[in-house]
Amino acid sequence: MSAPRVRPAFAEVAEQNLDGVLRYLAHLTGDRHLAEDLTSATFERALRDWPRYDPAKGRPSVWLVEVARRVALDHFRREGRRRAREERYAAGVPEAVSPPEAPGGFSADVRAALGRLTRAERELVALRVVLGLDAAEAGRVAGMSPSAVGTSLHRALTKLRQEVERP
Amino acid sequence: MSEARGIGPERMGELVDGASPAGEEERAFVALMAEARGLEQGAPDDLRARVLAAARAGEGAAEPSAARPAAGRALGALHPGRWLGDGAARRRRLLVAAPVTAAIVALVVAIPVLDGNGGPAATTPVAGAGAERPSGGEPGRGEGAFDSAAPSAGSIEAAPPAEAGAEAAVPAPAPGPDAAPGRLQRVAVRTRVQVEDVAALSRASSSAMRTVRRLGGFTASSDYGVPDGSRGGNALVFRVPVERVDAALAAFADLGTVLRQDADIVDVTDRVAAGDARVARLREELAVARAAAAADPSDAGRARAVMRAGARLERAQAAVAAQRRAARLATLELTLTTEGPAAAPAEEGRFTGPIAAAGDRLAGGLAWLLGALVLLAPFAVLAALAAWGTRRLRGRAARRLMRSA
Protein backbone atom coordinates (compact mmCIF):
# COMPACT_ATOMS: atom_id res chain seq x y z
CA MET A 1 0.00 0.00 0.00
CA SER A 2 1.55 3.26 -1.02
CA ALA A 3 0.72 6.12 1.30
CA PRO A 4 -0.54 9.29 -0.31
CA ARG A 5 1.99 12.06 -0.10
CA VAL A 6 -0.42 14.94 -0.55
CA ARG A 7 -2.04 16.23 2.60
CA PRO A 8 -5.79 16.31 2.16
CA ALA A 9 -8.06 18.88 3.75
CA PHE A 10 -9.06 18.00 7.27
CA ALA A 11 -12.76 18.56 6.64
CA GLU A 12 -12.60 16.13 3.75
CA VAL A 13 -10.81 13.55 5.87
CA ALA A 14 -13.32 14.00 8.67
CA GLU A 15 -16.24 13.53 6.31
CA GLN A 16 -14.78 10.38 4.81
CA ASN A 17 -13.81 8.76 8.08
CA LEU A 18 -16.47 9.82 10.55
CA ASP A 19 -18.47 6.61 10.18
CA GLY A 20 -15.39 4.43 10.42
CA VAL A 21 -14.17 6.11 13.59
CA LEU A 22 -17.60 5.81 15.16
CA ARG A 23 -17.81 2.13 14.25
CA TYR A 24 -14.40 1.48 15.67
CA LEU A 25 -15.24 3.22 18.92
CA ALA A 26 -18.59 1.52 19.13
CA HIS A 27 -16.89 -1.86 18.95
CA LEU A 28 -14.18 -0.87 21.34
CA THR A 29 -16.40 0.58 24.04
CA GLY A 30 -19.48 -1.54 23.53
CA ASP A 31 -21.57 1.56 24.11
CA ARG A 32 -23.06 3.46 21.21
CA HIS A 33 -23.67 6.69 23.11
CA LEU A 34 -20.25 6.69 24.62
CA ALA A 35 -18.79 6.00 21.18
CA GLU A 36 -20.51 9.09 19.81
CA ASP A 37 -19.07 11.23 22.59
CA LEU A 38 -15.63 9.79 22.04
CA THR A 39 -15.95 10.30 18.30
CA SER A 40 -16.58 13.95 18.87
CA ALA A 41 -13.57 14.14 21.19
CA THR A 42 -11.48 12.25 18.66
CA PHE A 43 -12.10 14.77 15.92
CA GLU A 44 -11.41 17.64 18.29
CA ARG A 45 -8.06 16.15 19.15
CA ALA A 46 -7.38 15.21 15.55
CA LEU A 47 -8.03 18.75 14.42
CA ARG A 48 -5.59 20.04 17.01
CA ASP A 49 -2.95 17.47 16.01
CA TRP A 50 -3.61 17.66 12.29
CA PRO A 51 -0.42 19.67 11.54
CA ARG A 52 1.54 16.75 12.96
CA TYR A 53 -0.03 14.21 10.66
CA ASP A 54 2.53 12.94 8.17
CA PRO A 55 0.96 11.56 4.97
CA ALA A 56 4.09 9.55 4.30
CA LYS A 57 3.50 7.45 7.40
CA GLY A 58 0.07 6.16 6.54
CA ARG A 59 -3.46 6.86 5.42
CA PRO A 60 -5.46 9.50 7.28
CA SER A 61 -8.01 6.85 8.23
CA VAL A 62 -5.36 4.86 10.12
CA TRP A 63 -4.06 7.99 11.80
CA LEU A 64 -7.59 8.92 12.87
CA VAL A 65 -8.18 5.47 14.34
CA GLU A 66 -4.93 5.82 16.29
CA VAL A 67 -6.18 9.12 17.68
CA ALA A 68 -9.51 7.49 18.51
CA ARG A 69 -7.74 4.70 20.33
CA ARG A 70 -5.80 7.17 22.47
CA VAL A 71 -9.00 9.05 23.26
CA ALA A 72 -10.72 5.80 24.22
CA LEU A 73 -7.83 4.65 26.38
CA ASP A 74 -7.80 8.00 28.16
CA HIS A 75 -11.50 7.55 28.78
CA PHE A 76 -11.00 4.02 30.12
CA ARG A 77 -8.29 5.26 32.46
CA ARG A 78 -10.46 8.08 33.74
CA GLU A 79 -13.34 5.68 34.19
CA GLY A 80 -11.12 3.26 36.05
CA ARG A 81 -9.95 5.98 38.42
CA ARG A 82 -13.49 7.22 38.92
CA ARG A 83 -14.73 3.75 39.71
CA ALA A 84 -11.86 3.13 42.09
CA ARG A 85 -12.69 6.39 43.89
CA GLU A 86 -16.33 5.50 44.13
CA GLU A 87 -15.53 2.04 45.39
CA ARG A 88 -13.29 3.51 48.06
CA TYR A 89 -15.98 5.89 49.25
CA ALA A 90 -18.73 3.31 49.01
CA ALA A 91 -16.77 0.47 50.56
CA GLY A 92 -19.02 -2.26 51.78
CA VAL A 93 -22.01 -1.16 49.76
CA PRO A 94 -22.82 -3.88 47.24
CA GLU A 95 -23.02 -2.52 43.76
CA ALA A 96 -25.03 -4.02 40.97
CA VAL A 97 -22.71 -4.74 38.09
CA SER A 98 -24.36 -4.66 34.73
CA PRO A 99 -22.78 -6.50 31.84
CA PRO A 100 -21.27 -4.31 29.17
CA GLU A 101 -23.62 -3.28 26.48
CA ALA A 102 -22.97 -4.87 23.14
CA PRO A 103 -22.32 -2.56 20.22
CA GLY A 104 -25.56 -1.23 18.98
CA GLY A 105 -26.80 -1.78 15.47
CA PHE A 106 -26.05 -5.47 15.29
CA SER A 107 -28.39 -8.32 15.18
CA ALA A 108 -29.19 -9.64 18.61
CA ASP A 109 -26.97 -12.71 18.38
CA VAL A 110 -23.97 -10.91 17.01
CA ARG A 111 -24.48 -8.03 19.43
CA ALA A 112 -24.54 -10.34 22.41
CA ALA A 113 -21.57 -12.30 21.13
CA LEU A 114 -19.51 -9.15 20.57
CA GLY A 115 -20.35 -8.01 24.08
CA ARG A 116 -18.68 -11.11 25.45
CA LEU A 117 -15.39 -10.46 23.66
CA THR A 118 -12.67 -8.45 25.30
CA ARG A 119 -11.97 -4.90 24.18
CA ALA A 120 -8.83 -6.04 22.42
CA GLU A 121 -10.73 -8.71 20.52
CA ARG A 122 -13.51 -6.31 19.59
CA GLU A 123 -10.92 -3.81 18.49
CA LEU A 124 -9.33 -6.28 16.09
CA VAL A 125 -12.69 -7.23 14.66
CA ALA A 126 -13.43 -3.57 14.14
CA LEU A 127 -10.07 -2.80 12.56
CA ARG A 128 -9.84 -5.77 10.23
CA VAL A 129 -13.43 -6.70 9.49
CA VAL A 130 -15.43 -3.51 9.88
CA LEU A 131 -12.90 -0.88 8.78
CA GLY A 132 -11.03 -3.16 6.40
CA LEU A 133 -7.53 -2.18 7.48
CA ASP A 134 -4.81 -4.59 6.46
CA ALA A 135 -2.81 -6.49 9.05
CA ALA A 136 0.05 -4.00 9.08
CA GLU A 137 -2.26 -1.02 9.59
CA ALA A 138 -4.27 -2.81 12.25
CA GLY A 139 -1.04 -3.80 13.98
CA ARG A 140 0.15 -0.21 13.94
CA VAL A 141 -3.04 0.94 15.64
CA ALA A 142 -3.18 -1.89 18.16
CA GLY A 143 0.54 -1.93 18.86
CA MET A 144 1.25 -5.45 17.62
CA SER A 145 3.02 -7.11 14.75
CA PRO A 146 1.06 -8.09 11.63
CA SER A 147 1.50 -11.76 12.42
CA ALA A 148 0.21 -11.22 15.95
CA VAL A 149 -2.76 -9.43 14.44
CA GLY A 150 -3.49 -12.50 12.30
CA THR A 151 -3.29 -14.86 15.26
CA SER A 152 -5.32 -12.66 17.56
CA LEU A 153 -7.94 -12.00 14.91
CA HIS A 154 -8.28 -15.73 14.30
CA ARG A 155 -8.82 -16.26 18.00
CA ALA A 156 -11.32 -13.40 18.23
CA LEU A 157 -13.37 -14.48 15.24
CA THR A 158 -13.42 -18.09 16.34
CA LYS A 159 -14.62 -16.98 19.74
CA LEU A 160 -17.19 -14.69 18.16
CA ARG A 161 -18.59 -17.50 16.11
CA GLN A 162 -18.70 -19.79 19.09
CA GLU A 163 -20.55 -17.13 21.04
CA VAL A 164 -23.00 -16.57 18.18
CA GLU A 165 -23.74 -20.25 17.89
CA ARG A 166 -24.00 -20.77 21.62
CA PRO A 167 -27.59 -21.85 22.39
CA MET B 1 -18.22 -25.97 16.18
CA SER B 2 -15.12 -27.94 15.59
CA GLU B 3 -15.17 -26.86 11.95
CA ALA B 4 -14.66 -23.24 12.94
CA ARG B 5 -11.25 -24.07 14.26
CA GLY B 6 -10.38 -25.65 10.93
CA ILE B 7 -9.75 -22.26 9.30
CA GLY B 8 -6.20 -21.25 9.99
CA PRO B 9 -5.12 -17.72 10.82
CA GLU B 10 -3.67 -17.12 7.37
CA ARG B 11 -6.75 -18.33 5.55
CA MET B 12 -8.93 -16.35 7.87
CA GLY B 13 -6.90 -13.26 7.07
CA GLU B 14 -7.43 -13.91 3.38
CA LEU B 15 -11.18 -14.25 3.92
CA VAL B 16 -11.23 -11.01 5.87
CA ASP B 17 -9.38 -9.36 3.02
CA GLY B 18 -12.03 -10.54 0.52
CA ALA B 19 -10.95 -13.98 -0.69
CA SER B 20 -13.76 -16.17 -2.02
CA PRO B 21 -14.92 -18.72 0.53
CA ALA B 22 -14.53 -22.38 -0.25
CA GLY B 23 -16.70 -24.80 1.62
CA GLU B 24 -19.48 -24.47 4.12
CA GLU B 25 -17.29 -23.46 7.00
CA GLU B 26 -15.69 -20.56 5.20
CA ARG B 27 -19.02 -19.38 3.79
CA ALA B 28 -20.46 -19.31 7.29
CA PHE B 29 -17.54 -17.25 8.46
CA VAL B 30 -17.86 -14.80 5.61
CA ALA B 31 -21.55 -14.44 6.36
CA LEU B 32 -20.79 -13.67 9.98
CA MET B 33 -18.31 -11.00 8.97
CA ALA B 34 -20.74 -9.56 6.47
CA GLU B 35 -23.35 -9.38 9.17
CA ALA B 36 -21.01 -7.57 11.49
CA ARG B 37 -19.97 -5.27 8.68
CA GLY B 38 -23.34 -4.69 7.10
CA LEU B 39 -25.42 -4.09 10.16
CA GLU B 40 -23.30 -1.24 11.32
CA GLN B 41 -24.95 2.13 11.44
CA GLY B 42 -23.32 5.34 10.36
CA ALA B 43 -22.99 8.46 12.45
CA PRO B 44 -26.22 10.22 13.38
CA ASP B 45 -26.92 13.51 11.65
CA ASP B 46 -26.34 15.71 14.67
CA LEU B 47 -22.92 14.20 15.33
CA ARG B 48 -22.01 14.47 11.67
CA ALA B 49 -23.07 18.09 11.53
CA ARG B 50 -21.21 18.93 14.72
CA VAL B 51 -17.97 17.23 13.72
CA LEU B 52 -17.94 18.60 10.20
CA ALA B 53 -18.76 22.12 11.34
CA ALA B 54 -15.88 22.01 13.79
CA ALA B 55 -13.59 20.54 11.16
CA ARG B 56 -14.42 23.24 8.63
CA ALA B 57 -14.14 25.98 11.20
CA GLY B 58 -10.82 24.73 12.50
CA GLU B 59 -9.39 23.89 9.14
CA GLY B 60 -8.29 27.45 8.53
CA ALA B 61 -6.20 27.31 11.66
CA ALA B 62 -4.82 23.85 11.04
CA GLU B 63 -3.99 24.01 7.35
CA PRO B 64 -1.64 27.01 7.23
CA SER B 65 0.76 25.33 9.59
CA ALA B 66 0.61 22.25 7.41
CA ALA B 67 1.40 24.34 4.37
CA ARG B 68 4.28 26.06 6.07
CA PRO B 69 7.74 25.38 4.75
CA ALA B 70 9.99 22.92 6.48
CA ALA B 71 11.72 25.68 8.43
CA GLY B 72 8.40 26.92 9.72
CA ARG B 73 7.37 23.43 10.76
CA ALA B 74 10.70 22.98 12.50
CA LEU B 75 10.10 26.18 14.44
CA GLY B 76 6.60 25.00 15.24
CA ALA B 77 8.09 21.85 16.72
CA LEU B 78 9.87 24.05 19.24
CA HIS B 79 6.62 25.52 20.50
CA PRO B 80 6.37 24.71 24.23
CA GLY B 81 2.72 23.78 23.95
CA ARG B 82 3.56 20.93 21.65
CA TRP B 83 5.88 19.36 24.18
CA LEU B 84 4.05 20.23 27.35
CA GLY B 85 0.64 19.10 26.22
CA ASP B 86 -2.29 20.33 28.21
CA GLY B 87 -4.19 19.68 31.39
CA ALA B 88 -2.86 16.96 33.65
CA ALA B 89 -0.17 15.94 31.16
CA ARG B 90 1.23 19.47 31.21
CA ARG B 91 1.32 19.51 35.00
CA ARG B 92 3.04 16.13 35.15
CA ARG B 93 5.64 17.10 32.57
CA LEU B 94 6.33 20.41 34.27
CA LEU B 95 6.79 18.63 37.58
CA VAL B 96 9.49 16.48 35.99
CA ALA B 97 11.01 19.12 33.74
CA ALA B 98 11.43 21.82 36.38
CA PRO B 99 13.82 19.95 38.72
CA VAL B 100 15.70 18.42 35.79
CA THR B 101 16.22 21.84 34.22
CA ALA B 102 17.27 23.30 37.55
CA ALA B 103 19.79 20.50 38.04
CA ILE B 104 21.27 20.99 34.58
CA VAL B 105 21.54 24.75 35.04
CA ALA B 106 23.12 24.32 38.46
CA LEU B 107 25.62 21.88 37.04
CA VAL B 108 26.48 24.10 34.10
CA VAL B 109 27.00 27.05 36.44
CA ALA B 110 28.84 25.11 39.13
CA ILE B 111 31.36 23.28 36.97
CA PRO B 112 33.25 26.34 35.68
CA VAL B 113 33.24 27.85 39.17
CA LEU B 114 34.62 24.68 40.76
CA ASP B 115 36.97 23.97 37.89
CA GLY B 116 38.53 27.39 37.51
CA ASN B 117 40.26 29.48 40.12
CA GLY B 118 37.40 31.93 39.90
CA GLY B 119 39.68 34.92 40.16
CA PRO B 120 40.69 37.57 37.73
CA ALA B 121 44.22 36.33 37.48
CA ALA B 122 45.49 35.29 34.09
CA THR B 123 48.10 32.81 33.10
CA THR B 124 50.49 33.21 30.27
CA PRO B 125 52.76 30.29 29.71
CA VAL B 126 56.06 31.41 28.38
CA ALA B 127 58.13 28.78 26.77
CA GLY B 128 61.31 28.36 24.93
CA ALA B 129 64.75 27.83 26.18
CA GLY B 130 66.13 30.84 24.44
CA ALA B 131 65.90 34.45 25.27
CA GLU B 132 62.95 34.90 22.92
CA ARG B 133 59.73 35.55 24.70
CA PRO B 134 56.41 36.89 23.71
CA SER B 135 56.34 40.62 23.96
CA GLY B 136 53.67 42.57 25.68
CA GLY B 137 54.76 42.25 29.24
CA GLU B 138 53.07 44.26 31.82
CA PRO B 139 54.21 47.87 31.96
CA GLY B 140 56.40 48.78 34.83
CA ARG B 141 58.09 45.41 35.01
CA GLY B 142 61.81 45.04 34.90
CA GLU B 143 63.61 43.97 31.75
CA GLY B 144 63.56 40.24 31.28
CA ALA B 145 60.68 39.90 33.61
CA PHE B 146 58.37 37.03 32.95
CA ASP B 147 55.47 38.09 30.84
CA SER B 148 52.19 37.93 32.51
CA ALA B 149 48.96 39.08 31.04
CA ALA B 150 47.09 41.90 32.62
CA PRO B 151 44.76 40.51 35.24
CA SER B 152 41.73 41.48 33.26
CA ALA B 153 42.88 39.79 30.10
CA GLY B 154 41.95 36.33 31.22
CA SER B 155 43.40 34.69 28.14
CA ILE B 156 45.72 31.79 27.91
CA GLU B 157 48.18 31.74 25.08
CA ALA B 158 49.64 28.55 23.79
CA ALA B 159 53.29 28.24 24.50
CA PRO B 160 55.50 28.45 21.43
CA PRO B 161 56.84 25.01 20.57
CA ALA B 162 60.14 24.26 22.14
CA GLU B 163 62.94 23.84 19.79
CA ALA B 164 64.16 20.30 19.56
CA GLY B 165 66.96 18.38 17.97
CA ALA B 166 70.60 19.23 17.92
CA GLU B 167 69.86 22.53 16.30
CA ALA B 168 67.13 23.22 18.76
CA ALA B 169 69.08 22.46 21.88
CA VAL B 170 69.88 25.71 23.58
CA PRO B 171 73.34 25.87 25.02
CA ALA B 172 72.88 29.28 26.52
CA PRO B 173 71.02 29.42 29.82
CA ALA B 174 67.60 30.84 29.71
CA PRO B 175 67.14 34.04 31.56
CA GLY B 176 64.70 33.16 34.25
CA PRO B 177 61.48 34.82 35.11
CA ASP B 178 61.99 37.86 37.22
CA ALA B 179 59.25 38.51 39.63
CA ALA B 180 57.54 41.74 38.73
CA PRO B 181 58.30 44.35 41.33
CA GLY B 182 55.35 45.00 43.54
CA ARG B 183 53.37 42.14 42.07
CA LEU B 184 52.41 38.89 43.71
CA GLN B 185 52.72 35.99 41.33
CA ARG B 186 52.51 32.24 41.43
CA VAL B 187 55.38 31.03 39.28
CA ALA B 188 55.89 27.53 37.88
CA VAL B 189 58.75 26.71 35.51
CA ARG B 190 59.49 23.38 33.84
CA THR B 191 62.97 22.75 32.47
CA ARG B 192 64.30 19.69 30.67
CA VAL B 193 68.06 19.31 30.54
CA GLN B 194 70.07 16.65 28.76
CA VAL B 195 73.22 15.35 30.43
CA GLU B 196 75.92 13.19 28.89
CA ASP B 197 75.60 9.97 30.83
CA VAL B 198 74.48 8.38 34.07
CA ALA B 199 77.48 9.71 35.98
CA ALA B 200 76.71 13.22 34.79
CA LEU B 201 73.09 12.66 35.77
CA SER B 202 74.07 11.96 39.33
CA ARG B 203 76.40 14.92 39.49
CA ALA B 204 73.84 17.26 37.97
CA SER B 205 71.16 16.12 40.42
CA SER B 206 73.36 16.81 43.40
CA SER B 207 74.44 20.13 41.97
CA ALA B 208 70.86 21.24 41.36
CA MET B 209 69.81 20.39 44.92
CA ARG B 210 72.79 22.23 46.37
CA THR B 211 72.04 25.26 44.26
CA VAL B 212 68.44 25.35 45.39
CA ARG B 213 69.42 25.06 49.05
CA ARG B 214 71.92 27.87 48.58
CA LEU B 215 69.18 30.05 47.10
CA GLY B 216 66.95 29.50 50.12
CA GLY B 217 64.69 26.88 48.57
CA PHE B 218 64.20 23.19 49.11
CA THR B 219 63.69 19.97 47.19
CA ALA B 220 60.05 18.95 47.18
CA SER B 221 60.53 15.65 45.37
CA SER B 222 62.97 13.63 43.33
CA ASP B 223 62.28 10.68 41.07
CA TYR B 224 65.61 9.18 40.05
CA GLY B 225 65.74 6.20 37.70
CA VAL B 226 68.47 4.39 35.78
CA PRO B 227 66.80 1.45 34.08
CA ASP B 228 69.78 -0.17 32.33
CA GLY B 229 72.93 1.59 33.49
CA SER B 230 73.44 3.47 30.26
CA ARG B 231 70.50 5.81 30.39
CA GLY B 232 68.36 7.33 33.04
CA GLY B 233 66.66 10.41 34.34
CA ASN B 234 65.68 12.35 37.41
CA ALA B 235 62.50 14.35 37.77
CA LEU B 236 63.04 16.96 40.47
CA VAL B 237 60.62 19.45 41.93
CA PHE B 238 62.00 22.44 43.83
CA ARG B 239 60.42 25.30 45.72
CA VAL B 240 62.48 28.44 45.38
CA PRO B 241 61.83 32.03 46.47
CA VAL B 242 60.32 33.85 43.54
CA GLU B 243 62.97 36.53 43.46
CA ARG B 244 65.67 33.86 43.01
CA VAL B 245 64.11 31.90 40.20
CA ASP B 246 66.42 33.54 37.65
CA ALA B 247 69.48 32.42 39.47
CA ALA B 248 68.17 28.88 39.84
CA LEU B 249 67.33 28.60 36.14
CA ALA B 250 70.74 29.93 35.16
CA ALA B 251 72.33 27.28 37.34
CA PHE B 252 70.15 24.56 35.82
CA ALA B 253 71.23 25.63 32.35
CA ASP B 254 74.83 24.98 33.32
CA LEU B 255 74.07 21.35 34.10
CA GLY B 256 73.81 20.31 30.46
CA THR B 257 71.90 21.10 27.30
CA VAL B 258 68.57 22.76 27.87
CA LEU B 259 66.06 20.96 25.67
CA ARG B 260 62.93 22.69 26.74
CA GLN B 261 61.77 25.29 29.16
CA ASP B 262 58.36 26.68 29.77
CA ALA B 263 56.71 28.56 32.54
CA ASP B 264 53.38 29.66 33.88
CA ILE B 265 52.81 32.80 35.85
CA VAL B 266 49.58 33.59 37.59
CA ASP B 267 49.28 37.11 38.87
CA VAL B 268 47.45 37.00 42.18
CA THR B 269 48.03 40.61 43.16
CA ASP B 270 44.46 41.64 42.59
CA ARG B 271 43.15 38.60 44.35
CA VAL B 272 45.30 39.27 47.38
CA ALA B 273 44.30 42.94 47.27
CA ALA B 274 40.66 41.89 47.19
CA GLY B 275 41.34 39.61 50.13
CA ASP B 276 42.96 42.47 52.04
CA ALA B 277 39.98 44.68 51.32
CA ARG B 278 37.67 41.98 52.57
CA VAL B 279 39.74 41.61 55.74
CA ALA B 280 39.50 45.36 56.32
CA ARG B 281 35.76 45.31 55.81
CA LEU B 282 35.35 42.37 58.15
CA ARG B 283 37.42 44.17 60.76
CA GLU B 284 35.05 47.10 60.56
CA GLU B 285 32.09 44.80 60.85
CA LEU B 286 33.64 43.16 63.88
CA ALA B 287 34.23 46.54 65.48
CA VAL B 288 30.63 47.54 64.87
CA ALA B 289 29.40 44.25 66.28
CA ARG B 290 31.58 44.63 69.34
CA ALA B 291 30.32 48.15 69.94
CA ALA B 292 26.75 46.94 69.69
CA ALA B 293 27.44 44.09 72.07
CA ALA B 294 29.13 46.42 74.54
CA ALA B 295 26.07 48.66 74.51
CA ASP B 296 23.86 45.80 75.59
CA PRO B 297 25.93 42.98 77.16
CA SER B 298 22.82 41.01 78.06
CA ASP B 299 21.79 40.60 74.42
CA ALA B 300 22.86 37.08 73.43
CA GLY B 301 22.13 37.74 69.76
CA ARG B 302 24.66 40.57 69.64
CA ALA B 303 27.22 38.37 71.34
CA ARG B 304 26.68 35.71 68.72
CA ALA B 305 27.05 38.32 65.98
CA VAL B 306 30.46 39.25 67.44
CA MET B 307 31.51 35.60 67.36
CA ARG B 308 30.35 35.14 63.79
CA ALA B 309 32.10 38.32 62.63
CA GLY B 310 35.29 37.19 64.36
CA ALA B 311 35.17 33.80 62.69
CA ARG B 312 34.62 35.36 59.28
CA LEU B 313 37.57 37.66 59.82
CA GLU B 314 39.82 34.76 60.81
CA ARG B 315 38.88 32.78 57.73
CA ALA B 316 39.53 35.73 55.44
CA GLN B 317 42.90 36.41 57.06
CA ALA B 318 43.90 32.77 56.69
CA ALA B 319 42.95 32.75 53.00
CA VAL B 320 44.98 35.88 52.28
CA ALA B 321 47.95 34.51 54.18
CA ALA B 322 47.80 31.28 52.17
CA GLN B 323 47.79 33.22 48.91
CA ARG B 324 50.78 35.23 50.00
CA ARG B 325 52.66 32.08 50.96
CA ALA B 326 51.88 30.50 47.59
CA ALA B 327 53.17 33.61 45.83
CA ARG B 328 56.41 33.63 47.78
CA LEU B 329 57.80 30.30 46.57
CA ALA B 330 58.04 29.36 42.90
CA THR B 331 57.75 25.74 41.77
CA LEU B 332 60.59 24.65 39.55
CA GLU B 333 60.38 21.27 37.87
CA LEU B 334 63.71 20.10 36.56
CA THR B 335 63.94 16.97 34.45
CA LEU B 336 67.45 15.71 33.94
CA THR B 337 67.79 13.04 31.30
CA THR B 338 70.41 11.20 29.32
CA GLU B 339 67.96 10.83 26.43
CA GLY B 340 68.29 13.02 23.39
CA PRO B 341 65.65 15.44 22.28
CA ALA B 342 62.60 14.36 20.38
CA ALA B 343 62.72 14.46 16.60
CA ALA B 344 62.70 17.95 15.19
CA PRO B 345 59.33 19.01 13.86
CA ALA B 346 58.94 19.22 10.12
CA GLU B 347 59.65 22.56 8.61
CA GLU B 348 56.55 24.64 8.28
CA GLY B 349 55.56 25.30 4.68
CA ARG B 350 53.28 27.88 3.19
CA PHE B 351 50.14 25.92 3.94
CA THR B 352 51.22 23.98 6.97
CA GLY B 353 50.64 26.83 9.38
CA PRO B 354 47.06 27.64 8.37
CA ILE B 355 46.21 23.97 8.09
CA ALA B 356 47.68 23.29 11.49
CA ALA B 357 45.81 26.27 12.91
CA ALA B 358 42.59 25.03 11.37
CA GLY B 359 43.28 21.60 12.77
CA ASP B 360 43.85 23.10 16.21
CA ARG B 361 40.57 24.98 15.99
CA LEU B 362 38.80 21.85 14.86
CA ALA B 363 40.33 19.86 17.67
CA GLY B 364 39.31 22.58 20.12
CA GLY B 365 35.76 22.51 18.82
CA LEU B 366 35.67 18.76 19.05
CA ALA B 367 36.98 18.90 22.59
CA TRP B 368 34.18 21.30 23.53
CA LEU B 369 31.66 19.10 21.82
CA LEU B 370 32.99 16.06 23.62
CA GLY B 371 32.85 17.92 26.91
CA ALA B 372 29.28 18.93 26.29
CA LEU B 373 28.40 15.36 25.39
CA VAL B 374 30.03 14.03 28.53
CA LEU B 375 28.14 16.61 30.54
CA LEU B 376 24.79 16.00 28.95
CA ALA B 377 25.03 12.28 28.24
CA PRO B 378 23.93 11.15 31.73
CA PHE B 379 20.89 13.41 31.55
CA ALA B 380 20.09 12.22 28.05
CA VAL B 381 20.37 8.61 29.14
CA LEU B 382 18.15 9.26 32.14
CA ALA B 383 15.61 11.04 29.99
CA ALA B 384 15.65 8.23 27.44
CA LEU B 385 15.22 5.65 30.19
CA ALA B 386 12.37 7.63 31.70
CA ALA B 387 10.69 7.97 28.31
CA TRP B 388 11.18 4.30 27.61
CA GLY B 389 9.86 3.30 31.02
CA THR B 390 6.87 5.59 30.70
CA ARG B 391 6.11 4.22 27.29
CA ARG B 392 6.32 0.65 28.52
CA LEU B 393 4.15 1.38 31.53
CA ARG B 394 1.57 3.10 29.37
CA GLY B 395 1.64 0.23 26.89
CA ARG B 396 1.19 -2.28 29.68
CA ALA B 397 -1.64 -0.28 31.18
CA ALA B 398 -3.28 -0.01 27.77
CA ARG B 399 -3.04 -3.77 27.24
CA ARG B 400 -4.56 -4.35 30.68
CA LEU B 401 -7.40 -2.00 29.84
CA MET B 402 -7.97 -3.73 26.53
CA ARG B 403 -8.07 -7.17 28.09
CA SER B 404 -11.23 -6.39 29.99
CA ALA B 405 -14.59 -7.00 28.40
Side-chain angles (χ1 to χ4, degrees), chain B residues 144-168:
Chain B
F146 238 12
D147 296 319
S148 105
S152 60
S155 64
I156 297 176
E157 291 177 18
E163 295 175 278
E167 312 81 36

Side-chain angles (χ1 to χ4, degrees), chain A residues 19 105 107 129 154 162 165, chain B residues 1 5 7 35 37 39:
Chain A
D19 289 338
S107 68
V129 177
H154 176 261
Q162 286 171 343
E165 295 184 352
Chain B
M1 202 56 258
R5 298 187 187 89
I7 304 175
E35 189 175 2
R37 215 179 270 138
L39 291 176

Side-chain angles (χ1 to χ4, degrees), chain A residues 7 9-11 19 22-23 28 32 36 48 50-51 105-107 118-120 123 128-129 154 161-162 165, chain B residues 1 5 7 12 17 25 28 35-37 39-40 42-44 48 59 63 65-66 86 401-404:
Chain A
R7 173 186 290 269
F10 181 75
D19 289 338
L22 177 62
R23 283 180 190 140
L28 189 59
R32 176 80 183 185
E36 289 180 11
R48 197 183 64 212
W50 182 240
F106 295 98
S107 68
T118 65
R119 283 175 185 152
E123 179 184 40
R128 290 285 281 126
V129 177
H154 176 261
R161 185 159 183 198
Q162 286 171 343
E165 295 184 352
Chain B
M1 202 56 258
R5 298 187 187 89
I7 304 175
M12 192 172 283
D17 289 335
E25 167 62 21
E35 189 175 2
R37 215 179 270 138
L39 291 176
E40 178 57 76
R48 183 176 300 278
E59 199 168 27
E63 291 304 325
S65 61
D86 53 8
L401 283 170
M402 296 296 282
R403 271 200 298 270
S404 62

Side-chain angles (χ1 to χ4, degrees), chain B residues 119-202:
Chain B
T123 301
T124 303
V126 179
E132 289 182 9
R133 297 208 192 135
S135 61
E138 199 169 320
R141 311 251 313 260
E143 191 181 345
F146 238 12
D147 296 319
S148 105
S152 60
S155 64
I156 297 176
E157 291 177 18
E163 295 175 278
E167 312 81 36
V170 180
D178 295 332
R183 306 294 296 181
L184 288 170
Q185 294 170 326
R186 281 209 310 256
V187 177
V189 184
R190 288 162 293 279
T191 307
R192 187 177 178 86
V193 174
Q194 183 187 9
V195 294
E196 282 184 7
D197 50 25
V198 172
L201 174 69
S202 179

Side-chain angles (χ1 to χ4, degrees), chain B residues 85-99:
Chain B
D86 53 8
R90 171 179 295 180
R91 284 193 294 277
R92 277 199 304 273
R93 286 171 190 167
L94 280 174
L95 276 174
V96 174

Side-chain angles (χ1 to χ4, degrees), chain B residues 106 216 231 354:
Chain B
R231 61 191 174 88

Side-chain angles (χ1 to χ4, degrees), chain A residues 58-127:
Chain A
R59 291 189 289 162
S61 57
V62 179
W63 180 76
L64 275 175
V65 172
E66 287 181 301
V67 175
R69 187 176 200 264
R70 285 198 294 273
V71 169
L73 285 174
D74 286 348
H75 168 77
F76 293 149
R77 286 191 195 98
R78 277 196 306 274
E79 273 298 291
R81 284 196 294 269
R82 186 183 63 77
R83 279 186 194 164
R85 265 199 313 274
E86 287 177 358
E87 281 168 12
R88 271 203 306 276
Y89 289 127
V93 179
E95 187 182 352
V97 179
S98 56
E101 187 187 337
F106 295 98
S107 68
D109 288 346
V110 177
R111 183 187 310 165
L114 279 169
R116 285 191 286 273
L117 301 187
T118 65
R119 283 175 185 152
E121 290 165 341
R122 289 201 300 267
E123 179 184 40
L124 281 180
V125 172
L127 294 173

